[in-house]
Amino acid sequence: MKYLEDVVTLRYQAEACTGCGRCLEVCPRGVFVRSNGKVALTDPALCMECGACMSNCPEGALTVRAGVGCAAAVLNGLLRGGEPSCDCSGDSGSSNCCG
Amino acid sequence: MSDVLWVPKKTAPPWADGFQETPAGRIPRVAVAWGKAEQRGRRLCRWSNAFRMSYTVDPGLYAAGNPSPESPVLVTANYKLSFDLLRRELPGIDAWILVLDTKGINVWCAAGKGTFGTGELLRRLQSVKLAEVVSHRRLVLPQLGAPGVQAHVVKQESGFAVDYGPVRAEDLPAYLRAGRKATPEMRAVRFGWKDRLELTPMELLPALRRYPWLLLGLFLLFGLQPQGILFRPALAGGWSFALLGLAAILTGSFLVPLFLPCVPFRSFALKGWLAGAVLTGAFLALRWGALSGNLFLVVLAAAFFPAASSYLALMFTGTTVYTGLSGVQKEMRFALPLYIAALAVTAACAVLAVLRYWGLL
Ligand code: SF4
Ligand code: SF4
């Protein structure tokens, strides 16, 4: 499943990339593939802006405005005039959140 | 959790089956099988916020099986369900379990907040003296913890290299057997029918809790007569709207999430609005005879109920595993003014509809 097109803030700077492969390891959406000793993006619209690739890229080759894609959090931020903030301190406990 | 980093407990927790001596002290050995308590805990987590938020395990080091200094170190959060899901996968595996203090929140959400993160990991490695307990310098972290962690910084600061394990604990044995190699399937979040069905109570329950307010509104709308608030007309006029309201909630919080890939549009607000509009259209067609005398009620229904379904469907983005912040913000920028407009139309129509009954219009 894919979300909206043309909104994703993920940016990749190939010059900085050493091809270490860390982003392939952490991305839960299969956004990266290996390509000529570096990486390439399959489809940026798959990205859910979790920020895992950015925080783990040792070269700083990846940037993304990371945050929670949660309408309640976005609404909270709008109403309180701050950043989107997630109040639900628990979570699903679903099979997706294996721990 | 307290600020005391690690206090060895004298008595074993109920889910432990003994202790293990380590160079850094005595630590509990976890039972890998689930009992009734774990089953019950998992069910309650899905239905009750209050229970979920207090379902924790003490941060620190634990043993699974008979770990040696060469055994792998598996890192997790101190949300009890995360911990349980992990240990359930460990029959026959000797490993160390390092539980980080995430304030009782699961790995994914805690990583987003940064509590499952580099800082806490480094502190915890120190406090349990992991470098004395194991001879190797490698950790297995859950992949969904990656947003909070900078693996290269952990390595620099502690000497421990980070391997990201699979997204789901159930794949951990296969991952370890394969020499810490994850298949692309193990690396991807999953959001199939079963996952969505399991997650819908999270949205449906809070929505249903607001249902009494809708009933109150309908009671006033239909019961407010020149003589006062009357029960009989409230019931006679309101019952069908009350049912429609319930159906609109089910549509937005349950049906749209469940049939997510089948409902047209990628936008959740549009998906919900479309489904709500189909529902409301069917309702108006069925009840046309009763409603055509007061068209304000028709406009009210058409404005309110599709918007309600749309709002509830949009809220499901908090539960999905593929919606990003930018997309949700874009939806919200479009949808919020429309929701406010729908509420304004609803309020205006309610007033006009009442005046209409009273024969003033
Ligand atoms: S993590 Fe960074 S340096 Fe490593 S392959 Fe990905 S983009 Fe390149
Ligand atoms: S932000 Fe998350 S989903 Fe997007 S590319 Fe990076 S790791 Fe993948």
Side-chain angles (χ1 to χ4, degrees), chain A residues 10 27-29 31-32 47-53:
Chain A
L10 178 68
C27 179
R29 294 284 293 157
V31 170
F32 304 99
C47 170
M48 59 167 163
E49 301 182 319
C50 69
C53 55

Side-chain angles (χ1 to χ4, degrees), chain A residues 7-99:
Chain A
V7 291
V8 167
T9 53
L10 178 68
R11 298 287 173 271
Y12 166 60
Q13 283 177 292
E15 316 84 72
C17 174
T18 57
C20 72
R22 194 56 110 165
C23 50
L24 286 104
E25 188 183 347
V26 297
C27 179
R29 294 284 293 157
V31 170
F32 304 99
V33 283
R34 284 196 188 279
S35 153
N36 296 326
K38 300 199 175 205
V39 295
L41 309 190
T42 51
D43 179 356
L46 286 172
C47 170
M48 59 167 163
E49 301 182 319
C50 69
C53 55
M54 175 170 66
S55 69
N56 284 280
C57 172
E59 310 302 330
L62 293 160
T63 52
V64 62
R65 197 175 56 117
V68 279
C70 165
V74 169
L75 194 59
N76 257 335
L78 276 180
L79 296 180
R80 297 196 191 142
E83 284 291 294
S85 76
C86 177
D87 269 348
C88 45
S89 354
D91 118 314
S92 37
S94 77
S95 48
N96 288 310
C97 298
C98 75

Side-chain angles (χ1 to χ4, degrees), chain A residues 3 5 7 9 22 25-29 48-50 55-56 65 69 71 86 89 91-92 95-96 98-99, chain B residues 52 76 105-106 143-144 146 149-151 162 164 167-169 187 189-190 195 266 317 323 325-326 329 331:
Chain A
Y3 197 37
E5 291 285 346
V7 291
T9 53
R22 194 56 110 165
E25 188 183 347
V26 297
C27 179
R29 294 284 293 157
M48 59 167 163
E49 301 182 319
C50 69
S55 69
N56 284 280
R65 197 175 56 117
C86 177
S89 354
D91 118 314
S92 37
S95 48
N96 288 310
C98 75
Chain B
R52 187 171 56 233
T76 188
I105 295 171
N106 74 76
Q143 188 189 331
L144 289 186
V149 176
Q150 293 180 282
V162 171
Y164 287 105
V167 165
R168 286 165 297 273
R187 290 253 169 260
V189 284
R190 212 169 48 193
D195 306 296
R266 287 198 189 165
T317 50
T323 54
L325 174 61
S326 301
Q329 279 180 328
E331 286 213 60

Side-chain angles (χ1 to χ4, degrees), chain B residues 122-155:
Chain B
L122 290 173
R123 272 196 305 278
R124 200 59 57 184
L125 289 174
Q126 287 281 325
S127 73
V128 305
K129 304 200 177 93
L130 193 69
E132 293 172 35
V133 176
V134 297
S135 55
H136 61 79
R137 290 293 176 263
R138 285 172 83 185
L139 305 169
V140 179
L141 266 62
Q143 188 189 331
L144 289 186
V149 176
Q150 293 180 282
H152 49 286
V153 175
V154 174
K155 168 90 190 178

Side-chain angles (χ1 to χ4, degrees), chain B residues 253-266:
Chain B
S253 298
F254 179 71
L255 293 178
V256 170
L258 187 61
F259 293 95
L260 206 57
C262 318
V263 184
F265 301 120
R266 287 198 189 165

Side-chain angles (χ1 to χ4, degrees), chain B residues 206-277:
Chain B
L208 284 177
R209 257 173 234 136
R210 281 186 238 158
Y211 185 55
W213 291 105
L214 180 68
L215 291 182
L216 181 69
L218 290 173
F219 189 76
L220 290 178
L221 173 61
F222 290 97
L224 208 58
Q225 303 292 332
Q227 310 90 306
I229 297 179
L230 298 184
F231 198 71
R232 199 178 292 270
L235 211 61
W239 70 267
S240 63
F241 274 67
L243 281 183
L244 176 59
L246 196 59
I249 290 176
L250 283 176
T251 302
S253 298
F254 179 71
L255 293 178
V256 170
L258 187 61
F259 293 95
L260 206 57
C262 318
V263 184
F265 301 120
R266 287 198 189 165
S267 149
F268 282 60
L270 275 176
K271 281 176 189 284
W273 190 87
L274 180 71

